[in-house]
């Protein structure tokens, strides 16, 4: 059975004290979430240690939103995968469309980052997804296939199994526009088939594929009901503890 995951991407939001309140509010509600659902919060770097300290007696995992593509050295302002591992980080979001667009992160750089996370026993949450013009031009499958091929296909089968994938159509991120559950399922199935063609069906069936893009309590049930949607990467709604928890309670009982 694939892991059901709800991961919050706090982006560049909250101060340390507001982040501390948010994690404490999430912890207070956590027992409402079925134990099989893995909860991950990805705060800004500055908040990771206090958030991890608050969450340490719980099963909530603490991730980061980025890491350097270099191991160590003269890279002012960067944070390495090894540093993140040393403070108890479990996951790193990589390839988010905001980093691809605003920080010019390309597949070559993302592959370096993915490899460094894996080498440091961290789980990459690898994001992929098409822009609106690409969907309108019917290029969405080609775009997502290339993003996966250029990074994940360069990994060994045993490494790719350790990754989580997030399909995030760029036109749905922070816009209030959600992909329909049919659009999400169609793309998740396509991603799984793409992985199966390269790595075999067993591996493809074992990888959790999350949906991201304006996921909220009102649409999570329908999205998570899709057979190939294994959870969500949540931006805006992860900043409200009640909404984040409500989303995590949205998996169908039978899954
Ligand atoms: C995201 O940025 O990963 C995301 C899914 O954002 P939002 O939920 O706000 O659309």
């Amino acid at each position: 059975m694939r892991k059901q995951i709800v991961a919050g991407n706090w982006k560049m939001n909250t101060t340390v004290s507001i982040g501390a309140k948010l994690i404490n509010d999430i912890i207070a509600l956590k027992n409402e979430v079925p134990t099989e659902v893995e909860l991950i919060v990805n705060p800004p770097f500055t908040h990771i240690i206090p958030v991890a300290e608050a969450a340490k007696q719980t099963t909530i995992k603490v991730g980061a939103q980025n890491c350097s593509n270099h191991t160590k050295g003269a890279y002012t302002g960067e944070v390495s995968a090894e540093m993140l591992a040393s403070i108890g980080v479990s996951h790193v979001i990589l390839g988010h469309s905001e980093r691809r667009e605003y920080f010019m992160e390309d597949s070559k750089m993302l592959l370096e980052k993915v490899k460094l996370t894996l080498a440091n026993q961290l789980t990459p949450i690898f994001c992929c997804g098409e822009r609106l013009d690409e969907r309108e031009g019917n290029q969405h499958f080609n775009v997502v296939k290339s993003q996966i091929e250029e990074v994940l296909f360069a990994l060994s089968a045993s490494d790719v199994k350790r990754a989580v994938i997030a399909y995030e159509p760029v036109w749905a991120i922070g816009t209030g526009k959600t992909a329909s559950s049919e659009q999400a399922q169609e793309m998740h199935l396509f991603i799984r088939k793409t992985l199966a063609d390269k790595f075999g069906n067993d591996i493809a069936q074992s990888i959790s594929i999350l949906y991201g893009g304006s996921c909220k309590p009102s649409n999570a049930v329908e999205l998570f009901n899709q057979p190939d949607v294994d959870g969500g990467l949540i931006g805006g709604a992860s900043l409200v503890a009640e909404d984040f928890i409500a989303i995590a309670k949205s998996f169908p009982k039978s899954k």
Side-chain angles (χ1 to χ4, degrees):
M1 206 176 86
R2 288 190 292 276
K3 225 182 235 179
Q4 300 174 357
I5 299 172
V6 173
N9 177 9
W10 293 8
K11 309 195 186 187
M12 199 171 72
N13 291 302
T14 75
T15 58
V16 170
S17 59
I18 292 172
K21 176 167 176 355
L22 178 54
I23 187 65
N24 284 321
D25 290 349
I26 291 170
I27 291 168
L29 296 170
K30 199 218 163 261
N31 60 4
E32 296 179 12
V33 178
T35 49
E36 63 272 20
V37 177
E38 181 165 277
L39 285 183
I40 309 166
V41 293
N42 298 269
F45 288 136
T46 43
H47 305 24
I48 291 175
I49 291 178
V51 167
E53 180 61 28
K56 85 172 175 219
Q57 307 295 357
T58 77
T59 54
I60 298 171
K61 302 257 169 66
V62 182
Q65 299 171 24
N66 184 28
C67 70
S68 176
N69 59 323
H70 298 287
T71 314
K72 60 151 95 173
Y75 299 102
T76 303
E78 288 288 88
V79 175
S80 72
E82 186 183 23
M83 291 171 188
L84 295 173
S86 76
I87 55 168
V89 160
S90 57
H91 293 71
V92 185
I93 298 171
L94 293 174
H96 192 283
S97 60
E98 288 153 14
R99 295 218 56 92
R100 290 179 191 263
E101 184 180 346
Y102 307 142
F103 302 96
M104 310 303 149
E105 296 198 359
D106 60 12
S107 292
K108 180 181 167 289
M109 181 187 277
L110 291 173
L111 176 58
E112 291 165 353
K113 292 185 180 202
V114 167
K115 283 184 171 169
L116 283 169
T117 57
L118 292 166
N120 285 282
Q121 312 311 318
L122 302 169
T123 301
I125 301 177
F126 179 73
C127 304
C128 56
E130 79 285 356
R131 298 190 313 260
L132 184 60
D133 59 313
E134 292 165 336
R135 178 158 283 262
E136 286 174 349
N138 205 27
Q139 290 306 307
H140 43 299
F141 293 116
N142 291 341
V143 169
V144 169
K145 189 168 191 212
S146 300
Q147 290 170 336
I148 288 182
E149 279 176 354
E150 287 165 13
V151 178
L152 299 182
F153 276 24
L155 302 177
S156 66
S158 58
D159 274 349
V160 85
K161 246 169 86 170
R162 296 166 53 206
V164 170
I165 296 175
Y167 167 58
E168 300 206 306
V170 183
W171 47 271
I173 295 179
T175 59
K177 247 190 193 180
T178 320
S180 68
S181 50
E182 291 78 19
Q183 286 171 321
Q185 169 57 23
E186 180 184 46
M187 185 59 87
H188 284 226
L189 182 62
F190 174 77
I191 292 170
R192 210 175 294 290
K193 282 208 168 113
T194 302
L195 294 169
D197 289 345
K198 169 75 178 172
F199 297 105
N201 198 42
D202 285 358
I203 286 180
Q205 288 299 334
S206 74
I207 296 176
S208 296
I209 307 178
L210 315 183
Y211 168 78
S214 300
C215 183
K216 37 191 186 276
S218 58
N219 56 32
V221 170
E222 207 188 326
L223 286 160
F224 295 179
N225 202 25
Q226 302 305 311
D228 288 282
V229 177
D230 305 310
L233 179 56
I234 319 298
S238 73
L239 298 171
V240 178
E242 292 75 12
D243 288 354
F244 186 59
I245 293 295
I247 292 169
K249 288 163 64 179
S250 297
F251 291 94
K253 297 260 174 305
S254 55
K255 234 182 182 178

mmCIF file of all heavy atoms in Angstrom, residues 175-206:
data_model
loop_
_atom_site.group_PDB
_atom_site.id
_atom_site.type_symbol
_atom_site.label_atom_id
_atom_site.label_comp_id
_atom_site.label_asym_id
_atom_site.label_seq_id
_atom_site.Cartn_x
_atom_site.Cartn_y
_atom_site.Cartn_z
ATOM 1 N N THR A 175 -3.837 30.183 -6.984
ATOM 2 C CA THR A 175 -4.764 30.925 -7.836
ATOM 3 C C THR A 175 -6.224 30.702 -7.438
ATOM 4 O O THR A 175 -7.114 31.385 -7.930
ATOM 5 C CB THR A 175 -4.624 30.467 -9.313
ATOM 6 O OG1 THR A 175 -4.895 29.055 -9.347
ATOM 7 C CG2 THR A 175 -3.234 30.742 -9.854
ATOM 8 N N GLY A 176 -6.442 29.708 -6.587
ATOM 9 C CA GLY A 176 -7.817 29.344 -6.247
ATOM 10 C C GLY A 176 -8.434 28.411 -7.285
ATOM 11 O O GLY A 176 -9.515 27.869 -7.087
ATOM 12 N N LYS A 177 -7.716 28.221 -8.408
ATOM 13 C CA LYS A 177 -8.190 27.317 -9.473
ATOM 14 C C LYS A 177 -7.624 25.932 -9.206
ATOM 15 O O LYS A 177 -6.395 25.774 -9.171
ATOM 16 C CB LYS A 177 -7.555 27.782 -10.791
ATOM 17 C CG LYS A 177 -8.490 28.322 -11.799
ATOM 18 C CD LYS A 177 -7.726 28.496 -13.097
ATOM 19 C CE LYS A 177 -8.523 29.326 -14.058
ATOM 20 N NZ LYS A 177 -7.809 29.508 -15.304
ATOM 21 N N THR A 178 -8.464 24.947 -9.004
ATOM 22 C CA THR A 178 -7.942 23.596 -8.741
ATOM 23 C C THR A 178 -8.094 22.766 -10.009
ATOM 24 O O THR A 178 -9.071 22.938 -10.741
ATOM 25 C CB THR A 178 -8.793 22.897 -7.649
ATOM 26 O OG1 THR A 178 -9.096 23.852 -6.668
ATOM 27 C CG2 THR A 178 -8.070 21.726 -7.048
ATOM 28 N N ALA A 179 -7.159 21.862 -10.226
ATOM 29 C CA ALA A 179 -7.388 20.894 -11.299
ATOM 30 C C ALA A 179 -8.606 20.064 -10.884
ATOM 31 O O ALA A 179 -8.790 19.789 -9.697
ATOM 32 C CB ALA A 179 -6.163 19.990 -11.443
ATOM 33 N N SER A 180 -9.421 19.679 -11.830
ATOM 34 C CA SER A 180 -10.548 18.811 -11.470
ATOM 35 C C SER A 180 -9.971 17.466 -11.027
ATOM 36 O O SER A 180 -8.824 17.132 -11.360
ATOM 37 C CB SER A 180 -11.474 18.615 -12.672
ATOM 38 O OG SER A 180 -10.802 17.846 -13.649
ATOM 39 N N SER A 181 -10.777 16.710 -10.305
ATOM 40 C CA SER A 181 -10.266 15.409 -9.849
ATOM 41 C C SER A 181 -9.945 14.529 -11.064
ATOM 42 O O SER A 181 -9.005 13.734 -11.031
ATOM 43 C CB SER A 181 -11.267 14.743 -8.910
ATOM 44 O OG SER A 181 -12.532 14.742 -9.486
ATOM 45 N N GLU A 182 -10.685 14.705 -12.160
ATOM 46 C CA GLU A 182 -10.398 13.907 -13.377
ATOM 47 C C GLU A 182 -9.044 14.319 -13.971
ATOM 48 O O GLU A 182 -8.257 13.470 -14.393
ATOM 49 C CB GLU A 182 -11.477 14.105 -14.455
ATOM 50 C CG GLU A 182 -12.835 13.526 -14.119
ATOM 51 C CD GLU A 182 -13.640 14.404 -13.149
ATOM 52 O OE1 GLU A 182 -13.322 15.609 -13.015
ATOM 53 O OE2 GLU A 182 -14.564 13.868 -12.509
ATOM 54 N N GLN A 183 -8.801 15.644 -14.008
ATOM 55 C CA GLN A 183 -7.508 16.106 -14.553
ATOM 56 C C GLN A 183 -6.354 15.614 -13.679
ATOM 57 O O GLN A 183 -5.310 15.203 -14.178
ATOM 58 C CB GLN A 183 -7.474 17.647 -14.612
ATOM 59 C CG GLN A 183 -8.310 18.235 -15.724
ATOM 60 C CD GLN A 183 -8.406 19.761 -15.601
ATOM 61 O OE1 GLN A 183 -8.518 20.317 -14.501
ATOM 62 N NE2 GLN A 183 -8.371 20.448 -16.724
ATOM 63 N N ALA A 184 -6.558 15.660 -12.368
ATOM 64 C CA ALA A 184 -5.503 15.200 -11.448
ATOM 65 C C ALA A 184 -5.259 13.703 -11.647
ATOM 66 O O ALA A 184 -4.115 13.267 -11.840
ATOM 67 C CB ALA A 184 -5.885 15.509 -10.005
ATOM 68 N N GLN A 185 -6.331 12.925 -11.638
ATOM 69 C CA GLN A 185 -6.187 11.466 -11.791
ATOM 70 C C GLN A 185 -5.502 11.116 -13.118
ATOM 71 O O GLN A 185 -4.604 10.270 -13.171
ATOM 72 C CB GLN A 185 -7.558 10.775 -11.680
ATOM 73 C CG GLN A 185 -7.591 9.304 -12.074
ATOM 74 C CD GLN A 185 -6.623 8.412 -11.291
ATOM 75 O OE1 GLN A 185 -6.218 8.741 -10.185
ATOM 76 N NE2 GLN A 185 -6.232 7.292 -11.886
ATOM 77 N N GLU A 186 -5.929 11.786 -14.184
ATOM 78 C CA GLU A 186 -5.367 11.501 -15.512
ATOM 79 C C GLU A 186 -3.849 11.733 -15.505
ATOM 80 O O GLU A 186 -3.080 10.912 -16.016
ATOM 81 C CB GLU A 186 -6.064 12.425 -16.511
ATOM 82 C CG GLU A 186 -5.628 12.281 -17.931
ATOM 83 C CD GLU A 186 -6.306 13.313 -18.843
ATOM 84 O OE1 GLU A 186 -6.366 14.520 -18.492
ATOM 85 O OE2 GLU A 186 -6.766 12.909 -19.915
ATOM 86 N N MET A 187 -3.422 12.835 -14.897
ATOM 87 C CA MET A 187 -1.977 13.120 -14.876
ATOM 88 C C MET A 187 -1.234 12.205 -13.908
ATOM 89 O O MET A 187 -0.133 11.735 -14.219
ATOM 90 C CB MET A 187 -1.726 14.590 -14.523
ATOM 91 C CG MET A 187 -0.270 14.983 -14.593
ATOM 92 S SD MET A 187 0.479 14.730 -16.237
ATOM 93 C CE MET A 187 0.055 16.286 -17.029
ATOM 94 N N HIS A 188 -1.827 11.919 -12.759
ATOM 95 C CA HIS A 188 -1.147 11.014 -11.812
ATOM 96 C C HIS A 188 -0.958 9.626 -12.439
ATOM 97 O O HIS A 188 0.089 9.004 -12.286
ATOM 98 C CB HIS A 188 -1.939 10.920 -10.499
ATOM 99 C CG HIS A 188 -1.773 12.131 -9.613
ATOM 100 N ND1 HIS A 188 -1.535 12.049 -8.268
ATOM 101 C CD2 HIS A 188 -1.795 13.450 -9.910
ATOM 102 C CE1 HIS A 188 -1.418 13.274 -7.766
ATOM 103 N NE2 HIS A 188 -1.590 14.137 -8.740
ATOM 104 N N LEU A 189 -1.981 9.163 -13.132
ATOM 105 C CA LEU A 189 -1.881 7.858 -13.794
ATOM 106 C C LEU A 189 -0.796 7.895 -14.870
ATOM 107 O O LEU A 189 0.002 6.960 -15.013
ATOM 108 C CB LEU A 189 -3.234 7.482 -14.402
ATOM 109 C CG LEU A 189 -3.310 6.134 -15.093
ATOM 110 C CD1 LEU A 189 -3.022 4.992 -14.119
ATOM 111 C CD2 LEU A 189 -4.696 5.923 -15.718
ATOM 112 N N PHE A 190 -0.745 9.008 -15.594
ATOM 113 C CA PHE A 190 0.277 9.174 -16.636
ATOM 114 C C PHE A 190 1.677 9.137 -16.014
ATOM 115 O O PHE A 190 2.596 8.486 -16.538
ATOM 116 C CB PHE A 190 0.050 10.498 -17.382
ATOM 117 C CG PHE A 190 1.119 10.829 -18.361
ATOM 118 C CD1 PHE A 190 1.175 10.204 -19.599
ATOM 119 C CD2 PHE A 190 2.112 11.757 -18.044
ATOM 120 C CE1 PHE A 190 2.191 10.504 -20.504
ATOM 121 C CE2 PHE A 190 3.128 12.055 -18.939
ATOM 122 C CZ PHE A 190 3.161 11.428 -20.174
ATOM 123 N N ILE A 191 1.840 9.837 -14.878
ATOM 124 C CA ILE A 191 3.145 9.848 -14.203
ATOM 125 C C ILE A 191 3.506 8.428 -13.753
ATOM 126 O O ILE A 191 4.629 7.962 -13.942
ATOM 127 C CB ILE A 191 3.123 10.822 -12.990
ATOM 128 C CG1 ILE A 191 2.999 12.274 -13.480
ATOM 129 C CG2 ILE A 191 4.362 10.647 -12.104
ATOM 130 C CD1 ILE A 191 2.734 13.305 -12.392
ATOM 131 N N ARG A 192 2.538 7.726 -13.206
ATOM 132 C CA ARG A 192 2.812 6.369 -12.734
ATOM 133 C C ARG A 192 3.186 5.457 -13.913
ATOM 134 O O ARG A 192 4.095 4.637 -13.814
ATOM 135 C CB ARG A 192 1.595 5.825 -11.967
ATOM 136 C CG ARG A 192 2.000 4.840 -10.882
ATOM 137 C CD ARG A 192 0.852 4.360 -10.028
ATOM 138 N NE ARG A 192 0.213 5.346 -9.197
ATOM 139 C CZ ARG A 192 0.759 5.920 -8.122
ATOM 140 N NH1 ARG A 192 1.993 5.612 -7.771
ATOM 141 N NH2 ARG A 192 0.090 6.805 -7.414
ATOM 142 N N LYS A 193 2.506 5.617 -15.040
ATOM 143 C CA LYS A 193 2.829 4.805 -16.227
ATOM 144 C C LYS A 193 4.229 5.133 -16.734
ATOM 145 O O LYS A 193 4.976 4.251 -17.153
ATOM 146 C CB LYS A 193 1.817 5.076 -17.344
ATOM 147 C CG LYS A 193 0.506 4.360 -17.129
ATOM 148 C CD LYS A 193 -0.173 4.058 -18.486
ATOM 149 C CE LYS A 193 -1.321 3.090 -18.315
ATOM 150 N NZ LYS A 193 -2.622 3.703 -18.603
ATOM 151 N N THR A 194 4.556 6.433 -16.707
ATOM 152 C CA THR A 194 5.892 6.870 -17.141
ATOM 153 C C THR A 194 6.955 6.203 -16.270
ATOM 154 O O THR A 194 7.975 5.710 -16.763
ATOM 155 C CB THR A 194 5.983 8.418 -17.048
ATOM 156 O OG1 THR A 194 4.943 8.972 -17.856
ATOM 157 C CG2 THR A 194 7.326 8.946 -17.519
ATOM 158 N N LEU A 195 6.709 6.172 -14.963
ATOM 159 C CA LEU A 195 7.662 5.541 -14.038
ATOM 160 C C LEU A 195 7.709 4.027 -14.270
ATOM 161 O O LEU A 195 8.776 3.411 -14.222
ATOM 162 C CB LEU A 195 7.257 5.818 -12.586
ATOM 163 C CG LEU A 195 7.338 7.281 -12.125
ATOM 164 C CD1 LEU A 195 6.651 7.453 -10.781
ATOM 165 C CD2 LEU A 195 8.799 7.738 -12.040
ATOM 166 N N ALA A 196 6.535 3.442 -14.530
ATOM 167 C CA ALA A 196 6.474 1.990 -14.731
ATOM 168 C C ALA A 196 7.266 1.584 -15.976
ATOM 169 O O ALA A 196 7.966 0.562 -15.976
ATOM 170 C CB ALA A 196 5.022 1.531 -14.843
ATOM 171 N N ASP A 197 7.167 2.389 -17.043
ATOM 172 C CA ASP A 197 7.884 2.062 -18.281
ATOM 173 C C ASP A 197 9.386 2.029 -18.052
ATOM 174 O O ASP A 197 10.099 1.249 -18.669
ATOM 175 C CB ASP A 197 7.562 3.091 -19.377
ATOM 176 C CG ASP A 197 6.132 2.927 -19.872
ATOM 177 O OD1 ASP A 197 5.522 1.873 -19.588
ATOM 178 O OD2 ASP A 197 5.618 3.865 -20.519
ATOM 179 N N LYS A 198 9.864 2.878 -17.168
ATOM 180 C CA LYS A 198 11.308 2.957 -16.934
ATOM 181 C C LYS A 198 11.768 2.015 -15.813
ATOM 182 O O LYS A 198 12.785 1.342 -15.923
ATOM 183 C CB LYS A 198 11.656 4.419 -16.582
ATOM 184 C CG LYS A 198 13.048 4.658 -16.069
ATOM 185 C CD LYS A 198 14.089 4.603 -17.181
ATOM 186 C CE LYS A 198 15.480 4.910 -16.620
ATOM 187 N NZ LYS A 198 16.518 4.674 -17.629
ATOM 188 N N PHE A 199 11.010 1.993 -14.706
ATOM 189 C CA PHE A 199 11.502 1.294 -13.507
ATOM 190 C C PHE A 199 10.723 0.016 -13.169
ATOM 191 O O PHE A 199 11.066 -0.678 -12.227
ATOM 192 C CB PHE A 199 11.455 2.236 -12.296
ATOM 193 C CG PHE A 199 12.352 3.441 -12.412
ATOM 194 C CD1 PHE A 199 11.830 4.701 -12.688
ATOM 195 C CD2 PHE A 199 13.731 3.315 -12.253
ATOM 196 C CE1 PHE A 199 12.658 5.815 -12.798
ATOM 197 C CE2 PHE A 199 14.563 4.418 -12.363
ATOM 198 C CZ PHE A 199 14.028 5.675 -12.639
ATOM 199 N N GLY A 200 9.655 -0.233 -13.917
ATOM 200 C CA GLY A 200 8.836 -1.413 -13.628
ATOM 201 C C GLY A 200 7.630 -1.046 -12.777
ATOM 202 O O GLY A 200 7.636 -0.058 -12.050
ATOM 203 N N ASN A 201 6.620 -1.904 -12.883
ATOM 204 C CA ASN A 201 5.339 -1.588 -12.253
ATOM 205 C C ASN A 201 5.408 -1.598 -10.729
ATOM 206 O O ASN A 201 4.782 -0.780 -10.070
ATOM 207 C CB ASN A 201 4.271 -2.567 -12.758
ATOM 208 C CG ASN A 201 2.895 -2.014 -12.499
ATOM 209 O OD1 ASN A 201 2.649 -0.820 -12.704
ATOM 210 N ND2 ASN A 201 2.002 -2.839 -11.978
ATOM 211 N N ASP A 202 6.196 -2.500 -10.151
ATOM 212 C CA ASP A 202 6.241 -2.580 -8.679
ATOM 213 C C ASP A 202 6.733 -1.270 -8.085
ATOM 214 O O ASP A 202 6.171 -0.762 -7.107
ATOM 215 C CB ASP A 202 7.174 -3.716 -8.219
ATOM 216 C CG ASP A 202 6.520 -5.067 -8.425
ATOM 217 O OD1 ASP A 202 5.349 -5.098 -8.877
ATOM 218 O OD2 ASP A 202 7.177 -6.079 -8.150
ATOM 219 N N ILE A 203 7.774 -0.736 -8.686
ATOM 220 C CA ILE A 203 8.320 0.529 -8.174
ATOM 221 C C ILE A 203 7.318 1.651 -8.414
ATOM 222 O O ILE A 203 7.022 2.448 -7.515
ATOM 223 C CB ILE A 203 9.700 0.817 -8.812
ATOM 224 C CG1 ILE A 203 10.709 -0.138 -8.167
ATOM 225 C CG2 ILE A 203 10.116 2.283 -8.640
ATOM 226 C CD1 ILE A 203 12.108 -0.025 -8.652
ATOM 227 N N ALA A 204 6.750 1.709 -9.605
ATOM 228 C CA ALA A 204 5.782 2.783 -9.910
ATOM 229 C C ALA A 204 4.591 2.736 -8.955
ATOM 230 O O ALA A 204 4.084 3.774 -8.529
ATOM 231 C CB ALA A 204 5.309 2.654 -11.350
ATOM 232 N N GLN A 205 4.189 1.532 -8.594
ATOM 233 C CA GLN A 205 3.032 1.404 -7.692
ATOM 234 C C GLN A 205 3.373 1.776 -6.260
ATOM 235 O O GLN A 205 2.492 2.002 -5.445
ATOM 236 C CB GLN A 205 2.493 -0.043 -7.730
ATOM 237 C CG GLN A 205 1.781 -0.413 -9.013
ATOM 238 C CD GLN A 205 0.552 0.450 -9.305
ATOM 239 O OE1 GLN A 205 -0.073 0.998 -8.397
ATOM 240 N NE2 GLN A 205 0.228 0.609 -10.578
ATOM 241 N N SER A 206 4.660 1.812 -5.952
ATOM 242 C CA SER A 206 5.042 2.076 -4.557
ATOM 243 C C SER A 206 5.293 3.562 -4.278
ATOM 244 O O SER A 206 5.433 3.957 -3.124
ATOM 245 C CB SER A 206 6.292 1.275 -4.206
ATOM 246 O OG SER A 206 7.430 1.861 -4.809
#
